[in-house]
Amino acid sequence: YGAFKFSDAKNSVAKATYQADRYFLVIACQTDSMVHDFIEKQKKWELWDGDRVSDEVLKLPRDTARELVTRHFGIEWSKAFLGLGSTSPFLPWRPFVQCWEKPDRLFNHTWHLVGRGDFISALDGFCRDGQKRVALLVGRGGIGKSKLLHAFAQNYSKKSRNRQLWFVEENIPMTQASIDELPATPCVIVVDDAHRSENLKSLLAATVHSSGQKKLLLSTRPQRLDFLKAELTLAGFDCTEIEQLPELKHLSRDEVKALARQALGLKLAHLDRRLANATWDCPLVTVVGGKLLATESLTPELLESHEKFRAEVLNRFQDIIVGRIAEGQDEDYCSELLQVLSATAPISAENESFVKTTADFLKRSPEDIIKGVSKLEQAGVLLRRGRSLRITPDVLADHILHRACVMPNGQPTGFAERIFSSFANIHPEKVFLNLAELDWRILVSTKRSTLLGTIWKDLEVALRTGSPEIKSRVMALVKEVAYYQPERALLMVELALKNLPPPPKQKPSLFVMSWRKHILQMLPEILHRVAFTLEFVPAVARRL
């Protein structure tokens, strides 16, 4: 309990006469620099003081850390030390980022951040600014948003801050109770991939009424930026309180070369210029491609064709994952499982209906599905956030889904229709949203896409001829994808109005009236999402 002094450290080392390869001096309090310097000079010795022990506990999986602290100190100490209760979506930065810090995995964030110093400075400035309450970090997939947040968190923790740093776990309900559990001290709350978050409204409301105690840092892909800004405005934030950082663009060629050298290692460092030229606008592909070259999983000759190399990096990334998981046995099954997971994410491996439907789709047993998902999570391919799992990195998930749905010549494979049909009864919103976003990306790059043509036709038929309940379910799906499919969504609104369940002519039917009201109440929100595409604003205004 008292101070641990230099003389105490000398005595401890002197008393350790047992022969061992390594020695640890573990103390339950803090100490001074003399003790640290002394232990550092001792061969084989390492000092774990109170701060180091605390840091190691925070690195543990969330449930393990909670169980450990609760068992020895009680639930109140667990809440005080780990910060929160059992169902909170808020995590201290260290346990949140630990999944990115495993160097044995092909994709990780153990490499040093290259460039982006201006963004780190801007985020530091935001944390100190007394007026700004929300910062928006914008960048497309693979450009390095998560790595930047990782470096920001590390940098933040090294300085003396008067605000705690929290990260939000995806897909854990954000209730008022969990928000109230946050310590009353000032804090910065980071929402990575805010474009996927479905329950921000409670957090926005709590932040806007916190009198500056809480600040938000939201990272998003560009296609959802306007939607997020509208949500902030509706929550009550003034535009002067929102800082939108410049969009995260590609690194300079020299910076990409420096990043390439880290990935390639000393032996292949001479390939840095060629790798940088082939991957200059996607740091993720630079890092993964460099590692694949370093391990001879790709040949340097592929660098001659930039487009082919980039595609082959992601193909080989997927193939290596499959090979490691399958270990030479049934690699086709592993590939097919990854395709299903890319289309249905985020998934819950504990959901019996999901497991059974996946087993039926792949013609496997439920036990095979559970084992396959478990192996993918252990290998770091599936990232657990809260109760849900999704493929990481996002760019790999996008690539796997594209490869499953679209042939090299651009024609649909039929996978989209099959997966949507199979999961329509248990998981339709997520599947349709993932497919709609893929369709949007194809449309942006090629100006044409027929990926969802058959699905939209089936939904139109259901809206014309289905029961009131089915019509309501169809419009709920339309609401999910209206942001990415504005033209189709607007047509479905018109079709819904023409095919509303009619008011009963005789005795009122509460059943029919309820579904009619439910459908009508969804239409303004659908039109709201359509209107983020500027060309449809006049049509939306007329219909409203």
Side-chain angles (χ1 to χ4, degrees):
Y1 289 101
F4 191 86
K5 301 176 183 178
F6 174 70
S7 58
D8 298 320
K10 288 185 67 175
N11 289 336
S12 298
V13 172
K15 290 178 180 179
T17 56
Y18 186 91
Q19 294 300 308
D21 295 327
R22 295 180 70 192
Y23 298 86
F24 293 85
L25 178 56
V26 184
I27 59 178
C29 58
Q30 295 180 330
T31 186
D32 58 31
S33 59
M34 290 181 63
V35 173
H36 281 272
D37 292 341
F38 172 71
I39 295 298
E40 283 183 7
K41 292 177 182 177
Q42 310 302 312
K43 291 183 179 180
K44 302 182 181 180
W45 277 83
E46 189 172 338
L47 173 64
W48 284 29
D49 62 3
D51 286 341
R52 175 64 185 277
V53 172
S54 299
D55 195 41
E56 292 298 322
V57 174
L58 288 172
K59 289 180 184 179
L60 294 171
R62 182 183 180 128
D63 291 339
T64 304
R66 183 180 294 108
E67 180 184 351
L68 178 68
V69 178
T70 301
R71 184 168 68 246
H72 292 286
F73 300 97
I75 186 64
E76 293 306 316
W77 271 102
S78 177
K79 286 186 177 183
F81 178 67
L82 299 173
L84 305 160
S86 59
T87 58
S88 173
F90 301 101
L91 269 182
W93 76 273
R94 172 61 75 183
F96 184 88
V97 304
Q98 67 180 0
C99 59
W100 296 331
E101 296 180 333
K102 298 181 179 179
D104 57 320
R105 293 179 177 176
L106 192 54
F107 173 72
N108 62 68
H109 288 328
T110 57
W111 45 277
H112 298 296
L113 183 71
V114 174
R116 312 299 196 203
D118 50 342
F119 282 89
I120 296 291
S121 298
L123 291 174
D124 282 343
F126 162 72
C127 293
R128 293 190 300 269
D129 193 308
Q131 184 181 15
K132 301 295 184 183
R133 302 174 68 186
V134 181
L136 296 170
L137 176 64
V138 186
R140 54 183 170 74
I143 201 65
K145 297 187 297 298
S146 294
K147 174 59 184 177
L148 178 59
L149 290 177
H150 177 259
F152 163 70
Q154 289 181 313
N155 183 63
Y156 191 96
S157 69
K158 291 176 183 176
K159 299 180 179 180
S160 176
R161 303 286 187 180
N162 60 359
R163 289 181 180 272
Q164 289 181 283
L165 184 63
W166 300 98
F167 277 75
V168 174
E169 281 196 293
E170 189 180 353
N171 296 311
I172 292 183
M174 197 179 303
T175 63
Q176 189 59 50
S178 64
I179 294 172
D180 290 342
E181 278 188 344
L182 282 168
T185 54
C187 63
V188 177
I189 301 171
V190 182
V191 184
D192 192 16
D193 292 328
H195 55 275
R196 287 203 305 251
S197 183
E198 298 176 351
N199 55 359
L200 279 179
K201 290 185 179 179
S202 297
L203 181 59
L204 298 184
T207 305
V208 81
H209 295 116
S210 69
S211 302
Q213 290 286 92
K214 295 182 177 69
K215 284 176 174 275
L216 292 179
L217 170 52
L218 310 177
S219 87
T220 180
R221 290 188 178 184
Q223 60 264 33
R224 294 285 283 186
L225 175 61
D226 289 340
F227 188 81
L228 275 176
K229 288 165 73 174
E231 291 289 299
L232 290 168
T233 301
L234 289 171
F237 288 98
D238 188 271
C239 61
T240 60
E241 297 176 312
I242 302 170
E243 180 172 359
Q244 182 181 331
L245 278 66
E247 184 174 341
L248 209 59
K249 298 292 187 180
H250 55 76
L251 299 166
S252 70
R253 292 301 173 109
D254 286 341
E255 289 170 339
V256 181
K257 284 170 63 178
L259 184 59
R261 285 194 291 274
Q262 286 191 61
L264 289 164
L266 291 175
K267 186 177 179 181
L268 295 181
H270 61 282
L271 296 175
D272 61 345
R273 180 184 59 81
R274 293 170 65 189
L275 178 57
N277 288 340
T279 64
W280 61 274
D281 64 344
C282 189
L284 184 145
V285 177
T286 304
V287 172
V288 174
K291 288 193 170 185
L292 291 173
L293 288 166
T295 57
E296 299 183 354
S297 299
L298 290 178
T299 62
E301 287 74 22
L302 284 169
L303 289 166
E304 299 304 320
S305 172
H306 296 177
E307 190 172 329
K308 185 177 180 181
F309 177 79
R310 293 152 71 99
E312 194 59 30
V313 166
L314 293 174
N315 288 341
R316 189 66 187 128
F317 192 179
Q318 180 181 348
D319 292 343
I320 286 176
I321 289 169
V322 168
R324 286 179 179 175
I325 303 304
E327 298 177 347
Q329 299 177 1
D330 214 347
E331 294 186 1
D332 288 343
Y333 160 61
C334 191
S335 294
E336 291 166 356
L337 179 58
L338 280 170
Q339 290 175 356
V340 172
L341 298 178
S342 70
T344 56
I347 66 107
S348 172
E350 290 79 32
N351 185 310
E352 292 183 6
S353 297
F354 173 81
V355 172
K356 184 180 185 306
T357 304
T358 304
D360 292 342
F361 185 83
L362 296 178
K363 296 180 173 57
R364 293 277 174 168
S365 69
E367 291 75 17
D368 286 341
I369 305 303
I370 293 170
K371 289 177 182 176
V373 170
S374 178
K375 283 186 176 181
L376 287 168
E377 184 180 4
Q378 290 171 13
V381 182
L382 290 180
L383 175 64
R384 183 176 290 276
R385 289 296 186 210
R387 302 183 185 94
S388 300
L389 293 161
R390 66 165 65 245
I391 296 171
T392 186
D394 284 350
V395 171
L396 176 62
D398 295 344
H399 178 74
I400 291 172
L401 185 57
H402 189 283
R403 200 176 177 188
C405 292
V406 184
M407 291 187 287
N409 65 2
Q411 293 299 309
T413 62
F415 178 83
E417 289 89 348
R418 290 192 298 110
I419 196 78
F420 180 75
S421 175
S422 296
F423 286 83
N425 290 326
I426 66 156
H427 211 54
E429 294 86 358
K430 296 299 181 186
V431 176
F432 200 29
L433 181 58
N434 290 330
L435 294 174
E437 187 173 356
L438 171 61
D439 187 66
W440 178 86
R441 290 195 299 270
I442 295 171
L443 193 61
V444 168
S445 61
T446 66
K447 307 304 179 187
R448 62 181 298 273
S449 177
T450 59
L451 182 65
L452 301 182
T454 301
I455 296 175
W456 278 118
K457 287 178 182 177
D458 291 343
L459 292 177
E460 288 176 13
V461 172
L463 196 55
R464 287 192 180 96
T465 63
S467 67
E469 182 179 0
I470 288 175
K471 290 179 180 183
S472 179
R473 290 174 62 189
V474 168
M475 295 313 293
L477 287 174
V478 173
K479 185 174 77 169
E480 287 293 321
V481 304
Y483 190 88
Y484 294 108
Q485 304 275 316
E487 186 173 13
R488 284 285 192 176
L490 190 58
L491 290 173
M492 294 296 278
V493 167
E494 300 294 344
L495 193 59
L497 287 168
K498 292 177 182 177
N499 293 275
L500 281 172
K505 295 179 181 179
Q506 303 296 328
K507 186 178 179 181
S509 168
L510 292 178
F511 177 79
V512 172
M513 291 299 289
S514 176
W515 286 117
R516 178 185 175 90
K517 182 179 179 181
H518 188 236
I519 293 170
L520 282 169
Q521 287 177 334
M522 279 191 279
L523 301 188
E525 177 60 26
I526 295 172
L527 292 171
H528 170 71
R529 298 182 183 194
V530 169
F532 284 107
T533 303
L534 205 57
E535 66 181 282
F536 295 110
V537 169
V540 167
R542 284 194 298 272
R543 173 45 66 193
L544 285 173

